[in-house]
């Protein structure tokens, strides 16, 4: 896997997080929980910007997540939003989604043998996601 492919995978991972958070924020009940979600959103936006910078440095083309994967995630999130009764329900789904993101990114990172800058960004995303899981646990 080359640098461009890995950077794009990182971008896709982070962008799925951004999309999910943007969809659930309107359903959050408490201001404290909204604040936690907004903080995560800013982190993901910063990580996305970092990935975009590395992509430009690598001279690689931006590749979005597959359309079907994005549509499926959007539909699932929309349906789940209709059933949320509490911040705990949202936090549980956030933990599940983030854990999936961590697992898949870790698998890609294990196979990646490219640039140290790209590996460092992947590790930074994983560390951020792990912190976010811990933050969401407070709302269960």
């Amino acid at each position: 896997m080359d640098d461009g492919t890995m950077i794009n995978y990182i971008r896709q991972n982070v962008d799925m997080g951004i999309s999910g958070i943007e969809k659930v924020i309107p359903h959050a009940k408490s201001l404290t929980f909204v604040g936690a979600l907004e903080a995560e959103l800013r982190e993901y936006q910063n990580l996305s910007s970092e990935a975009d910078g590395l992509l430009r440095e690598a001279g690689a083309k931006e590749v979005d997540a597959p359309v079907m994967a994005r549509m499926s995630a959007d539909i699932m999130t929309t349906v789940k939003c209709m059933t949320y009764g509490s911040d705990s329900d949202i936090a549980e789904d956030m933990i599940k989604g983030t854990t999936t993101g961590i697992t898949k990114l870790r698998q890609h990172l294990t196979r990646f043998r490219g640039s140290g800058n790209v590996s460092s960004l992947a590790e930074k995303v994983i560390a951020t996601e792990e912190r976010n899981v811990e933050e969401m646990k407070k709302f269960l």
Side-chain angles (χ1 to χ4, degrees), residues 39-104:
E40 284 189 20
L41 180 60
R42 285 188 300 276
E43 288 175 329
Y44 282 123
Q45 289 167 334
N46 289 336
L47 291 166
S48 183
S49 293
E50 282 187 55
D52 287 344
L54 283 178
L55 204 57
R56 281 189 299 279
E57 286 176 22
K61 183 179 178 191
E62 188 175 299
V63 178
D64 291 327
V67 173
M68 290 306 291
R70 285 187 318 212
M71 284 177 46
S72 175
D74 285 347
I75 290 167
M76 289 277 287
T77 303
T78 300
V79 169
K80 286 182 178 187
C81 284
M82 290 185 236
T83 65
Y84 290 142
S86 67
D87 289 346
S88 177
D89 294 337
I90 298 170
E92 180 181 357
D93 277 347
M94 293 292 296
I95 290 167
K96 288 177 185 176
T98 303
T99 301
T100 299
I102 292 167
T103 301
K104 290 185 177 191

Side-chain angles (χ1 to χ4, degrees), residues 9 13 22 35 45 47 58 86 93 108-109 131 137-138 140:
Y9 186 78
N13 177 295
E22 288 175 339
Q45 289 167 334
L47 291 166
S86 67
D93 277 347
H108 277 76
L109 186 57
R131 280 191 312 274
K137 286 179 182 178
K138 298 174 186 176
L140 291 176

Side-chain angles (χ1 to χ4, degrees), residues 3-22:
D3 283 4
T5 302
M6 184 64 178
I7 297 165
N8 271 303
Y9 186 78
I10 293 168
R11 280 185 59 260
Q12 292 166 9
N13 177 295
V14 171
D15 289 347
M16 293 289 276
I18 290 169
S19 177
I21 293 169
E22 288 175 339

Side-chain angles (χ1 to χ4, degrees), residues 24-25 27-38 86-92 94 135-136 139:
V24 301
I25 284 177
H27 301 278
K29 311 290 186 225
S30 76
L31 291 178
T32 305
F33 189 53
V34 169
L37 291 170
E38 288 174 342
S86 67
D87 289 346
S88 177
D89 294 337
I90 298 170
E92 180 181 357
M94 293 292 296
E135 182 65 23
M136 287 295 109
F139 297 98

